[in-house]
Amino acid sequence: MRGIPAVTRAVVCAAAVTVLIQPTAGHAEPPGIPSAAEARTMLEGLTVAEEGSAAGYSRDAFPHWSTVSDGCTARETVLQRDGTGVTVDEECRPTAGTWFSPYDDQTVADASDVDIDHVLSAAASGV
């Protein structure tokens, strides 16, 4: 960078660092994924009950597809947040994009192949 004023070098270097540390939309991970050790501890804390009746469980107690903002549902918002190259139609439905799953190291290109509702089913969790 000989011959380039120090201020220009500083600006170019600052811009490069900013670009390098910006998170990319490429492999956006859902927030709050625990480490392997934390996940093992959480799993050890689960009570595994004998399979039986789901008496008292009502899916209606767990609303989903709620509108979050700009007419987009919670699902559509998460698909946009966690996908790469996501485009949506006028009703906020994804029309293109890819989604990477850190759980199984798979990438899918069809939003209908993405499950985002529950990692552990609401009925199984006893909530």
Side-chain angles (χ1 to χ4, degrees):
M1 288 192 175
R2 189 166 260 189
I4 298 175
V7 172
T8 302
R9 284 195 307 262
V11 169
V12 169
C13 289
V17 168
T18 300
V19 168
L20 291 173
I21 64 171
Q22 289 296 315
T24 64
H27 272 3
E29 285 190 0
I33 294 178
S35 69
E38 292 169 324
R40 278 190 284 283
T41 299
M42 288 183 223
L43 284 171
E44 289 169 3
L46 289 176
T47 301
V48 179
E50 300 240 354
E51 190 170 338
S53 167
Y57 170 76
S58 170
R59 182 65 181 107
D60 293 337
F62 302 92
H64 63 294
W65 304 91
S66 304
T67 299
V68 176
S69 66
D70 299 328
C72 297
T73 66
R75 176 180 171 75
E76 293 161 343
T77 300
V78 170
L79 288 170
Q80 288 180 61
R81 180 194 71 195
D82 294 349
T84 301
V86 178
T87 57
V88 297
D89 63 17
E90 61 281 347
E91 294 181 17
C92 209
R93 294 177 301 218
T95 56
T98 58
W99 293 268
F100 174 74
S101 169
Y103 299 105
D104 57 9
D105 200 31
Q106 298 293 311
T107 299
V108 297
D110 184 344
S112 67
D113 291 336
V114 179
D115 292 319
I116 62 169
D117 296 307
H118 303 287
V119 174
L120 177 65
S121 74
S125 66
V127 177

